[in-house]
Amino acid sequence: MRIGLYPGTFDPITLGHIDIIRRAATLVDRLVIGVAINRDKGPLFSLEDRVAMIEAEAARLSGTGGAEVTVHPFENLLIDCARDVGAQVIVRGLRAVADFEYEFQMVGMNRALDNSIETVFLMADTGHQAIASKLVKEIARLGGDVSKFVTADVNTALRNQFD
């Protein structure tokens, strides 16, 4: 069974993330969405809320691309998380050249830690390249409409955070 790991903070999950999940699910038999705890980023949503949002979206996607989609919170090294879930592939989404520079360094470090786990990059769909969770949160905080960037459920969760 080919297992892929798509890691991120997902604070919150956006349509860009969902696009990568949908496409990655066609490449593997099981896709694990690794939800990073990452206290340094100071997430808006609790780990439990982020996991619940992702599980709701994953339930809609599971099996549509051929892969089972599951959610796995983690706080250890990404490469250790990949080992924990049995992933042979780490999936990363790229929006722009700036993303590539950071991801290029991460791949090098991860390969040094375990060269048996490959990293695969999926370019963001052109309609989603501008979407970043940080910007979505800022727009929502300032009362803007983020419905073009997130699902209806996530939009509601964002409004509830800022109302």
Side-chain angles (χ1 to χ4, degrees), residues 25 34 40 44 49 55 69-70 94 96 104 110 139 144 147 150 156:
D40 294 338
L44 173 65
D49 288 341
E55 284 177 340
V69 180
T70 62
L94 295 176
F104 182 78
N110 287 336
I139 293 167
S147 61
V150 297
T156 299

Side-chain angles (χ1 to χ4, degrees), residues 12-131:
I13 188 168
T14 68
L15 295 178
H17 294 128
I18 293 168
D19 174 58
I20 297 295
I21 292 167
R22 184 179 294 115
R23 291 168 44 218
T26 66
L27 304 175
V28 295
D29 302 305
R30 178 184 303 140
L31 181 63
V32 178
I33 311 303
V35 184
I37 293 172
N38 200 340
R39 299 178 207 297
D40 294 338
K41 284 192 173 182
L44 173 65
F45 292 99
S46 70
L47 175 65
E48 295 76 18
D49 288 341
R50 289 182 286 136
V51 167
M53 283 189 270
I54 296 165
E55 284 177 340
E57 299 305 327
R60 293 182 188 106
L61 295 172
S62 198
T64 61
E68 170 193 6
V69 180
T70 62
V71 180
H72 177 80
F74 74 100
E75 192 170 23
N76 53 346
L77 288 173
L78 174 57
I79 207 73
D80 289 336
C81 177
R83 288 183 193 128
D84 291 346
V85 300
Q88 298 91 3
V89 175
I90 296 170
V91 176
R92 300 297 291 160
L94 295 176
R95 293 171 298 181
V97 174
D99 288 346
F100 180 77
E101 288 194 34
Y102 171 77
E103 295 295 341
F104 182 78
Q105 289 178 321
M106 286 289 291
V107 168
M109 296 301 286
N110 287 336
R111 297 278 300 165
L113 294 170
D114 187 335
N115 69 0
S116 70
I117 300 173
E118 291 293 339
T119 299
V120 175
F121 295 109
L122 295 178
M123 293 302 299
D125 181 84
T126 55
H128 301 302
Q129 286 179 352
I131 301 174

